[in-house]
Amino acid sequence: MSDFKPSPAHLKRLFEHTHQALRLYYNKQKWPAIYPTLTQLAERFVQCYYTHPNAMHAHLQFYASNYGYTTNLTVNQCILVCAFCRANGYKEAFTEELVVAALSDYLCCSNEANKLARSEVLSKQESKLVKLRHQFTITMLDSANVPQGQLQRILSRLDKYSNAITGNKAIPLYDNTSILVTLAKRIAKAITPRSHVKTFTIIQTIKSLYLGTHNEFAQLSLLALSKQITQYPGGALVNYKGQGALVLSATHNGHLLALLDNYKAVGMIKTTRRFSPQYQPIATSDKTLLYSIWFNEQIPQCQTMQSQQLEIWQAITALGKQHFLEFKAIEKTIKPYYQITQALQLAARQYNRQGQKATTLRHCLTMVGLDTAGLLCQRVLLETLISQLHHPFANDVWNKYTHINKLITTLFSLTQGEQFEQLLSPFTAAIYFILNEHSTNIMRRVKPTMEEIADKGVSIAHLFGFDRLDEALFKAFIENYFKYSPSHQALLESETLQKQTLNEQGRQIVAIKLLSIYTLGESQALSAWQKQLLDEELKKMHWSSIDAFCDAFVEHSPSCSID
């Protein structure tokens, strides 16, 4: 995110620019500007929310009288998407992608949606536009050369998910990113006032959705949202000594309030009193209440989330930038990270054929040997980072990683397993890379292995629902942090080189990719080259056939499952 300090003027421009963006459909000459307009606007929404969440939460209660229903509705949807993503711990860049989807919901029918909100009758053409608005929006985005990806997927599913997210029947919904935008849409529609339609408070809406949905991810996200609103209660109404007041923010021991007179701010006060906050829509055009009051210096600054990720990554970098000649050097590098000792004890057990338990850190390292100790430490630290990365498909990603771990264990169960670390560690690094650089590409589905590009082998990206990794970024990633690891270099080559030029370790890695996709994917078809490679690699590890391996894998890992 660029350097940006929100101000009342920026907050006001969120409404102005959202209103203008919703008008772009009606001027075809401006269609090429739609994507940069939406991405810049989404960035501003995220920046304002992450720095001033109380102000944004307050706007969920306000109805800005100077703008129509569709603008207020869209602003609320964008704020709620930001709130969901912040509550779930997602990164700003990922949040911006979802805000663009929220901005696009009524992109092609803002005039028609305003007429509906006023209870006016639409013509057949207008009704068709509202009903098929997402199809028209996707066509509009295509004409503007907007990259195909998550945005189009969300829009194509949004109406279906909106209807299916609640109901008597538990309809499976697999796209968690679409679920987040759907929840924001449902809440925004319920709390944004319309003529002749009951308006619900945000608390009523969250409770109703939580009780009405069968989707676990939706329920967890709604719980996270409720905590987020409690932490930043801006916009709640309270009664202070017989006078109406608006909560501006929570303080360390109470609340900061704006005293109201006919829904206009007439003063500010700090209090330690406890209140029962009320939520209701407030139609207003008061600029102080809408914009300027939220930048008062008395309002506490939003606390940024603290993380140990940078320190852990520094240790991973140090481990990958040198050859270690003694255990003492490795111990010194990872000494500050006492929390990984237990993880190392668990990780080292597979190297011990006598069932001996590792006790000290040195004992863990000596059990695996100097050649693999550095890789093992890197992997455990990377696993720590992966477990801390928040993503809508985080559970699915971790289960697929566990699946690869068990697959490699089974693969070497008939031979000596000294290669285990050399083969698992590169996959750990690749999954961390995918979560960081391809967060919006990740899907639950597994892409069939038949979809190859040119003469390259299958990519690990198939396991996470997309075509290939960004080769330039992935190459830089491996070169910067795993330069001295032949196995990491082999995984890089399996992603970038022609399949006929791969060395033995590269072929092993491709075999593991194929087995992972084969045992999880919907399509069991393999190309002639893929089948030949698998047969050869399996025989080297004493497996008679792929069917024999799969039978043993199921028996060895009955708990393998994908969320």
Side-chain angles (χ1 to χ4, degrees):
M1 294 171 66
S2 59
D3 292 335
F4 176 74
K5 292 184 179 180
S7 66
H10 288 124
L11 192 55
K12 184 175 185 292
R13 281 200 287 269
L14 281 181
F15 275 90
E16 294 175 347
H17 292 172
T18 301
H19 184 74
Q20 293 168 8
L22 292 171
R23 307 287 303 167
L24 288 176
Y25 175 75
Y26 302 102
N27 188 344
K28 198 167 185 177
Q29 292 180 344
K30 293 186 177 181
W31 284 17
I34 187 63
Y35 192 57
T37 299
L38 294 181
T39 53
Q40 290 170 15
L41 188 54
E43 183 182 25
R44 294 295 184 254
F45 266 105
V46 175
Q47 288 168 330
C48 284
Y49 186 89
Y50 276 58
T51 55
H52 290 77
N54 282 296
M56 304 301 269
H57 287 176
H59 277 275
L60 297 176
Q61 321 310 322
F62 297 151
Y63 186 94
S65 303
N66 293 336
Y67 301 95
Y69 166 78
T70 311
T71 300
N72 278 278
L73 174 69
T74 302
V75 168
N76 284 344
Q77 285 187 212
C78 294
I79 293 172
L80 285 161
V81 166
C82 292
F84 273 117
C85 290
R86 177 70 171 186
N88 283 329
Y90 304 151
K91 292 185 175 181
E92 290 93 334
F94 180 85
T95 305
E96 290 170 16
E97 292 272 345
L98 300 195
V99 173
V100 171
L103 285 166
S104 303
D105 188 9
Y106 286 92
L107 191 62
C108 290
C109 62
S110 63
N111 289 345
E112 293 72 18
N114 283 333
K115 290 180 69 174
L116 281 175
R118 296 191 298 266
S119 299
E120 297 179 14
V121 179
L122 300 184
S123 67
K124 288 185 178 180
Q125 184 64 29
E126 290 172 331
S127 297
K128 180 181 179 181
L129 184 59
V130 173
K131 183 178 180 180
L132 302 177
R133 67 187 184 278
H134 295 139
Q135 295 179 30
F136 288 123
T137 300
I138 291 174
T139 301
M140 179 183 179
L141 295 172
D142 287 342
S143 69
N145 296 318
V146 176
Q148 289 288 325
Q150 183 168 254
L151 173 58
Q152 288 84 353
R153 292 200 309 271
I154 292 174
L155 290 176
S156 66
R157 297 168 177 162
L158 197 50
D159 281 340
K160 174 189 173 183
Y161 273 48
S162 296
N163 294 327
I165 196 71
T166 55
N168 294 328
K169 294 183 179 179
I171 301 175
L173 302 176
Y174 298 109
D175 186 0
N176 290 350
T177 51
S178 294
I179 288 174
L180 284 175
V181 180
T182 297
L183 292 173
K185 171 187 173 69
R186 288 285 300 265
I187 297 173
K189 200 165 186 178
I191 67 175
T192 307
R194 290 174 285 170
S195 300
H196 307 103
V197 177
K198 181 180 178 181
T199 303
F200 293 87
T201 69
I202 190 168
I203 302 302
Q204 291 172 331
T205 309
I206 291 174
K207 287 182 178 179
S208 176
L209 283 171
Y210 182 84
L211 295 173
T213 185
H214 299 275
N215 186 278
E216 182 181 9
F217 177 78
Q219 290 177 331
L220 293 173
S221 295
L222 289 165
L223 282 175
L225 176 65
S226 64
K227 293 177 182 178
Q228 184 79 354
I229 290 174
T230 300
Q231 184 178 0
Y232 302 106
L237 290 171
V238 297
N239 188 294
Y240 180 77
K241 296 182 178 180
Q243 183 175 3
L246 184 80
V247 176
L248 298 179
S249 71
T251 60
H252 72 283
N253 63 347
H255 292 88
L256 180 64
L257 307 178
L259 301 177
L260 301 179
D261 182 9
N262 196 25
Y263 292 119
K264 290 189 176 182
V266 294
M268 294 176 62
I269 189 170
K270 284 185 179 180
T271 178
T272 57
R273 290 190 179 189
R274 294 189 176 185
F275 300 101
S276 297
Q278 301 295 322
Y279 291 90
Q280 68 181 54
I282 302 171
T284 181
S285 59
D286 182 52
K287 293 181 180 179
T288 299
L289 203 60
L290 286 170
Y291 312 120
S292 60
I293 199 169
W294 303 101
F295 296 86
N296 189 284
E297 60 183 11
Q298 296 185 62
I299 296 179
Q301 293 293 312
C302 179
Q303 298 296 316
T304 58
M305 291 183 290
Q306 300 297 320
S307 174
Q308 293 181 326
Q309 290 191 9
L310 181 59
E311 294 180 358
I312 294 175
W313 189 252
Q314 288 173 346
I316 293 170
T317 303
L319 288 166
K321 285 191 173 181
Q322 55 184 304
H323 285 295
F324 289 100
L325 302 177
E326 56 181 10
F327 290 117
K328 186 176 181 180
I330 298 178
E331 285 184 288
K332 183 178 179 180
T333 302
I334 64 174
K335 185 177 181 180
Y337 311 100
Y338 62 90
Q339 72 272 21
I340 73 167
T341 301
Q342 184 177 3
L344 282 170
Q345 289 173 343
L346 294 174
R349 290 178 68 180
Q350 58 198 300
Y351 294 90
N352 178 15
R353 299 180 182 277
Q354 288 75 37
Q356 183 183 11
K357 291 184 178 180
T359 53
T360 63
L361 179 59
R362 173 64 66 89
H363 193 188
C364 293
L365 297 176
T366 54
M367 283 174 64
V368 303
L370 187 59
D371 291 339
T372 58
L375 282 177
L376 178 61
C377 292
Q378 270 189 315
R379 172 170 66 85
V380 172
L381 288 170
L382 276 171
E383 287 175 352
T384 303
L385 289 182
I386 291 172
S387 68
Q388 293 176 355
L389 290 174
H390 299 281
H391 190 277
F393 294 118
N395 289 340
D396 181 68
V397 170
W398 186 260
N399 286 336
K400 286 175 178 176
Y401 173 63
T402 302
H403 186 85
I404 294 172
N405 188 325
K406 293 180 179 179
L407 189 147
I408 294 174
T409 301
T410 306
L411 195 60
F412 287 96
S413 61
L414 302 181
T415 60
Q416 298 296 313
E418 286 76 10
Q419 287 182 291
F420 175 86
E421 200 61 56
Q422 281 76 14
L423 290 172
L424 180 59
S425 293
F427 283 98
T428 314
I431 289 173
Y432 177 85
F433 174 84
I434 288 171
L435 280 166
N436 270 278
E437 301 295 343
H438 291 282
S439 62
T440 58
N441 299 112
I442 295 172
M443 291 192 288
R444 193 186 300 270
R445 69 185 287 256
V446 176
K447 204 170 182 66
T449 58
M450 290 297 290
E451 298 185 29
E452 297 183 54
I453 296 179
D455 291 326
K456 295 180 181 179
V458 67
S459 172
I460 184 64
H462 281 236
L463 195 62
F464 301 94
F466 61 104
D467 290 320
R468 302 200 73 81
L469 306 184
D470 185 308
E471 291 186 4
L473 289 177
F474 190 55
K475 183 176 181 179
F477 174 73
I478 296 297
E479 289 296 322
N480 287 337
Y481 304 111
F482 307 98
K483 183 177 181 179
Y484 295 105
S485 169
S487 57
H488 286 76
Q489 294 292 333
L491 189 143
L492 171 63
E493 292 172 357
S494 75
E495 292 281 335
T496 58
L497 298 183
Q498 291 189 347
K499 54 192 179 187
Q500 291 85 357
T501 64
L502 295 176
N503 60 22
E504 177 55 35
Q505 197 165 33
R507 290 171 62 85
Q508 276 188 337
I509 287 175
V510 172
I512 293 169
K513 293 180 191 177
L514 287 170
L515 288 171
S516 301
I517 297 166
Y518 184 85
T519 53
L520 287 177
E522 297 175 2
S523 173
Q524 301 299 307
L526 295 170
S527 70
W529 179 83
Q530 291 169 350
K531 189 175 186 308
Q532 180 183 358
L533 181 143
L534 273 180
D535 289 341
E536 292 175 358
E537 295 303 317
L538 286 170
K539 286 179 181 178
K540 291 175 183 176
M541 286 168 268
H542 301 170
W543 294 101
S544 59
S545 67
I546 188 172
D547 292 333
F549 169 79
C550 289
D551 290 341
F553 179 61
V554 171
E555 183 179 352
H556 180 78
S557 304
S559 61
C560 282
S561 64
I562 296 299
D563 179 28

